[in-house]
Amino acid sequence: MSTQNQLSILIPTTVIDEVMLKLQECKTSLAPYLQGLTTEERKSLFKMGNKTVANVQKTKSYVDTNPEFVPGYMDKTEFLKDEAVVSLLSPISNLALQLATDVDDTVMLAGSEALQAAMLYYGQVKEANSRGIPTARPIYEDLSQRFSKRTRR
């Protein structure tokens, strides 16, 4: 098994602590304004996507300039508030998604490299155990429980 090290970093705990504090501050600041949804609620909603954002923004422009066409059964104030929330939170959502993706990718890459190295070590211990090296046996017995191949059902 060839190992190509693509990631060689140590993140100082001060940086991690600072990021965690700032993320918690962001979460706390936005908490009164955010709304959680159940899986069922998410599935049932009429969703605004990339293509319909422009439709809503264009409609807002017309609602502002031509309010005579707003139906009596439409709550104009709530529409304008909802559109403003989308406009304000979308950049935050995009940045948070970029951060989450980059963090996930880094965790995946570091995890892959760490697992490959662990498998190399386990292979060496397994070989040493099979050759009767006494100090390898307790390590092998412990690690073999974790590295044993599981059968697929």
Side-chain angles (χ1 to χ4, degrees), residues 78-118:
E78 287 302 315
F79 167 72
L80 295 174
K81 285 167 52 176
D82 290 340
E83 189 279 332
V85 167
V86 170
S87 294
L88 292 170
L89 287 183
S90 289
I92 294 171
S93 177
N94 292 339
L95 184 59
L97 182 58
Q98 290 171 6
L99 176 62
T101 299
D102 290 347
V103 168
D104 285 346
D105 288 351
T106 304
V107 167
M108 183 179 291
L109 181 56
S112 175
E113 290 181 0
L115 180 57
Q116 287 179 40

Side-chain angles (χ1 to χ4, degrees), residues 1 14 22 24 29 31 33 37 39 43-44 53 58 66-67 70 74 78 92 112 125 142 153:
M1 179 186 319
T14 56
K22 288 179 180 180
Q24 189 57 51
S29 294
Y33 309 102
L37 297 172
T39 302
K43 287 179 183 177
S44 70
V53 170
K58 180 65 89 170
N66 298 88
V70 174
M74 178 182 146
E78 287 302 315
I92 294 171
S112 175
V125 167
D142 185 31
R153 293 180 187 190

